[in-house]
Amino acid sequence: SSSSPVGVLGAMAKAMAKTSSFSVPLRMRMRPSCRRQKTHPLPCVSSSSSSSSPVPVSVSLHVTAILSKSDAAAFQPFGQVVWPEEDGTPYEVPLYDASLDLSAGQPRFYMMRIPPRGLEMDRITYHADVTQCLASMQDSTWHLVVAEPSDLSKPPTAEQLHAFAFKGGCIVKLNKGTWHAGPLFDGEDEIAFYNLELADTNTVDHNTHIYEDEVYTLHT
């Protein structure tokens, strides 16, 4: 009669146990593989989750509103605020006109759409080679945080930061090297801004410092 599969496997196992150089029976060597298949893998834990990152400190900045020509003097250490004048008004800096320096390259005058980012900031930028002009196309309140020029290795401290609020209808000119963050504003809708700088400002003259230990909040 024909041998059953179980009988054949048993005979093979006995024969291999006698002739093999391994002392462990075949059926015992197979068990660890079966156990590994049934073992559930441990969850992956990244190294960053084992150590908590420091929470940035919230620092409040008082906001100065620049709503008319009479308020503009407060912004003079950082640039100019230009208001509409009658057609034909003679050129006069700094009373009526912005003093510009676009000599380092090809000027770029364009419109940019800015989404609402709230009234917080954790980084600040300056352009060393050009003055910059910003103007809102809408009659909405928007904000800038600014500081006087300094080297990238010596970014402004909390005491050196100043926050300003503007409305549509004026042009804000930033001096060369003036640190700035913004435009910042609340709401749900984006705002379009006129921007005058150089064609390569965003690629070769965008010097940014990131505050790793502080987040600055504007209080109006």
Side-chain angles (χ1 to χ4, degrees), residues 39-106:
T39 301
H40 296 288
L42 294 175
C44 295
V45 180
S46 63
S47 58
S48 59
S49 62
S50 59
S51 58
S52 58
S53 301
V55 178
V57 176
S58 179
V59 180
S60 298
L61 294 177
H62 172 72
V63 175
T64 300
I66 307 292
L67 302 179
S68 67
K69 189 185 302 183
S70 61
D71 303 323
F75 196 74
Q76 284 184 355
F78 318 104
Q80 297 168 263
V81 184
V82 179
W83 300 90
E85 295 295 337
E86 295 296 332
D87 184 29
T89 300
Y91 175 76
E92 185 175 352
V93 174
L95 186 58
Y96 298 131
D97 298 280
S99 177
L100 305 177
D101 187 347
L102 304 169
S103 60
Q106 172 66 43

Side-chain angles (χ1 to χ4, degrees), residues 20-36:
S20 173
S21 60
F22 295 98
S23 60
V24 181
L26 177 63
R27 60 184 179 86
M28 293 185 66
R29 294 206 308 269
M30 295 174 62
R31 287 181 181 174
S33 174
C34 295
R35 285 199 298 268
R36 285 196 295 269

Side-chain angles (χ1 to χ4, degrees), residues 75-81 98-101 125-127 130-134 142 144-147 149 164 166 171-183 195-197:
F75 196 74
Q76 284 184 355
F78 318 104
Q80 297 168 263
V81 184
S99 177
L100 305 177
D101 187 347
T125 298
Y126 72 86
H127 310 308
V130 65
T131 56
Q132 183 180 14
C133 290
L134 297 168
W142 57 283
L144 283 176
V145 177
V146 295
F164 292 91
F166 307 93
I171 301 172
V172 177
K173 188 217 81 174
L174 300 170
N175 293 335
K176 288 171 59 174
T178 292
W179 291 93
H180 57 282
N195 189 4
L196 175 61
E197 52 189 12

